[in-house]
Amino acid sequence: MNMVITIVQISTSKNLENPGGLERYVQALNFTRSHKGTFRIMTTEGIAQDSHWLIRSFAIARFILKNKSEIDFIESHYILSGLITVFLSKTPKVIFFHSPWAEEKLVSSQSSQLTYRIRKYIEKLYLLKSNRIITVGKSMKEYLIKEHRIVRIS
């Protein structure tokens, strides 16, 4: 008898008509898992989807805490959606680190240095609360070692 591992996947919304890099990565990951037959994926798609990020983050945490007896581990791909869950849930957490969130926001929204430092601190706390960090490339691994001094990376 095969053991089935239940994963709750926290990511951005699935935009199937015009998916970005993150959505394409998650879709490929799920496609690979579906052929193995040992994974059950629960997604956070549709949970407070059009709400403010903080409301969505609390709604996702509530969903996970409500279903914790069914969940083997939590997989997070996006900091803001998984932020509250990472701090409240005792379920093992795997963080997929796609890109430096604080730096991206600094460049894209012309953030202040204070906002940048706060985001950088949140990013580090988020990563430290995980059980495992998987980077999507060597440059992201080097970034985590250099910027956050995190070395427990896959």
Side-chain angles (χ1 to χ4, degrees):
M1 185 169 125
N2 286 345
M3 184 175 106
V4 176
I5 298 169
T6 301
I7 303 165
V8 171
Q9 188 175 74
I10 301 172
S11 62
T12 59
S13 65
K14 275 188 187 172
N15 182 351
L16 299 177
E17 294 171 13
N18 188 19
L22 174 59
E23 288 85 4
R24 288 193 306 271
Y25 179 83
V26 172
Q27 287 171 358
L29 190 62
N30 288 343
F31 178 78
T32 302
R33 288 178 177 153
S34 68
H35 291 286
K36 303 232 184 257
T38 56
F39 294 98
R40 175 177 165 236
I41 311 284
M42 297 170 73
T43 69
T44 59
E45 310 287 326
I47 297 175
Q49 194 66 52
D50 296 324
S51 300
H52 184 273
W53 71 265
L54 188 57
I55 292 170
R56 177 168 162 70
S57 191
F58 271 107
I60 289 169
R62 184 172 162 235
F63 168 80
I64 289 171
L65 292 171
K66 180 180 167 190
N67 295 290
K68 67 182 175 189
S69 64
E70 301 176 45
I71 301 169
D72 294 302
F73 74 88
I74 298 164
E75 172 185 298
S76 183
H77 291 267
Y78 188 62
I79 290 176
L80 292 181
S81 296
L83 188 61
I84 305 303
T85 298
V86 165
F87 289 98
L88 293 181
S89 178
K90 292 184 180 3
T91 303
K93 292 163 277 299
V94 177
I95 304 294
F96 280 76
F97 191 76
H98 295 266
S99 61
W101 173 66
E103 273 80 5
E104 280 182 353
K105 292 296 181 185
L106 179 64
V107 171
S108 68
S109 65
Q110 305 298 326
S111 297
S112 70
Q113 281 298 313
L114 176 61
T115 303
Y116 166 73
R117 282 194 222 97
I118 291 168
R119 284 185 174 134
K120 189 98 165 176
Y121 183 72
I122 289 170
E123 181 179 85
K124 184 171 186 167
L125 287 178
Y126 177 76
L127 293 164
L128 289 174
K129 293 295 284 180
S130 69
N131 298 82
R132 173 151 318 229
I133 301 167
I134 299 172
T135 60
V136 295
K138 185 178 177 185
S139 63
M140 291 301 102
K141 183 175 184 175
E142 291 168 356
Y143 168 84
L144 291 178
I145 292 168
K146 180 183 173 202
E147 294 295 321
H148 295 304
R149 295 182 180 92
I150 297 174
V151 294
R152 52 180 182 79
I153 306 164
S154 297

